[in-house]
Amino acid sequence: MKLIFKILTAPVVLVIDLFTLICIGMISFSGMLLRLVSGIIAILGVAVLATYSPKNGLILLSIAFLFSPMGIPMLAVWVLGWLQNISCLLKGI
């Protein structure tokens, strides 16, 4: 019974592992680009905060945080961690 379940879940585990590998590569590549974009937006946000409008400056700083490595990319890493946990769980059965 256990062998039959392993045979049935093998394609699912393979797809999850390949998807995770591709997404990790995309996150690593986009992390460099997003770090640059975040830095530029943060500098612009500080300049706008100090000279023009505090409200618009805080909005720009919030957007810079979302593009930083601790924003949206960290959410993607968290989701991939859960996918890897599911894959390990299926491998262990």
Side-chain angles (χ1 to χ4, degrees):
M1 186 69 170
K2 193 173 184 180
L3 180 64
I4 294 171
F5 187 71
K6 281 192 175 198
I7 291 172
L8 290 175
T9 59
V12 175
V13 169
L14 180 66
V15 168
I16 290 174
D17 287 344
L18 288 175
F19 178 74
T20 304
L21 183 65
I22 291 169
C23 287
I24 287 172
M26 287 180 5
I27 289 172
S28 297
F29 178 72
S30 68
M32 294 182 299
L33 179 66
L34 288 177
R35 189 174 296 131
L36 290 172
V37 170
S38 173
I40 292 169
I41 293 174
I43 291 170
L44 182 64
V46 170
V48 169
L49 183 69
T51 60
Y52 179 66
S53 168
K55 178 183 165 187
N56 291 339
L58 290 175
I59 290 171
L60 283 173
L61 288 174
S62 299
I63 292 171
F65 173 75
L66 287 176
F67 283 127
S68 74
M70 298 311 273
I72 294 173
M74 186 60 75
L75 179 65
V77 169
W78 184 76
V79 170
L80 286 177
W82 276 101
L83 278 176
Q84 286 179 333
N85 285 342
I86 292 171
S87 175
C88 288
L89 188 106
L90 288 175
K91 287 178 188 176
I93 293 177

